[in-house]
């Protein structure tokens, strides 16, 4: 029996970097999404295409705990929400 509520982590990445480098990474993702509708994450020998639906839910959260801040920007979408149109040739 398959548990449909199980989370399958496809990519997990954490790195300390400068603010400019982090901004450049976010800008690269934003540019690819705007121009191509997708981007690819490469980690070692593995790669994962990220192709959100046309309509996404955006969640922004800013937390502070004991002087440590965490900012999260999240896009959510359901698989198959933007099906390609049927073509008949």
């Amino acid at each position: 029996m398959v548990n449909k509520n199980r989370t399958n982590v496809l990519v997990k990445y954490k790195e300390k970097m400068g603010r400019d480098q982090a901004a450049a990474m976010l800008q690269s993702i934003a540019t690819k999404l705007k121009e191509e509708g997708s981007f690819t994450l490469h980690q070692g020998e593995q790669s994962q295409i990220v192709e959100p639906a046309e309509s996404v839910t955006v969640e922004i959260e800013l937390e502070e705990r004991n002087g440590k801040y965490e900012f999260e920007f999240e896009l959510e979408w359901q698989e198959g929400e933007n099906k390609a149109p049927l073509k008949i040739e």
Side-chain angles (χ1 to χ4, degrees):
M1 185 170 155
V2 176
N3 183 355
K4 290 188 175 191
N5 292 325
R6 193 175 131 242
T7 300
N8 184 18
V9 177
L10 301 174
V11 176
K12 187 167 182 160
Y13 175 79
K14 187 174 185 177
E15 177 184 347
K16 190 165 184 97
M17 62 180 67
R19 184 177 50 213
D20 287 349
Q21 188 179 357
M25 180 184 282
L26 290 171
Q27 189 171 34
S28 177
I29 290 170
T31 299
K32 288 286 229 173
L33 280 177
K34 187 174 183 178
E35 293 176 359
E36 300 174 24
S38 68
F39 60 94
T40 304
L41 299 171
H42 298 278
Q43 190 174 34
E45 296 293 316
Q46 297 182 333
S47 63
Q48 180 68 44
I49 296 173
V50 181
E51 190 172 13
E54 284 292 322
S55 177
V56 297
T57 300
V58 176
E59 182 178 336
I60 296 174
E61 187 174 329
L62 177 62
E63 296 178 353
E64 182 272 332
R65 183 181 302 149
N66 300 321
K68 181 180 178 183
Y69 292 85
E70 182 175 322
F71 175 76
E72 294 181 16
F73 182 90
E74 184 173 294
L75 297 178
E76 294 180 7
W77 66 93
Q78 195 74 26
E79 186 176 359
E81 279 186 338
N82 59 331
K83 297 179 182 176
L86 178 65
K87 292 182 183 180
I88 300 174
E89 296 180 352

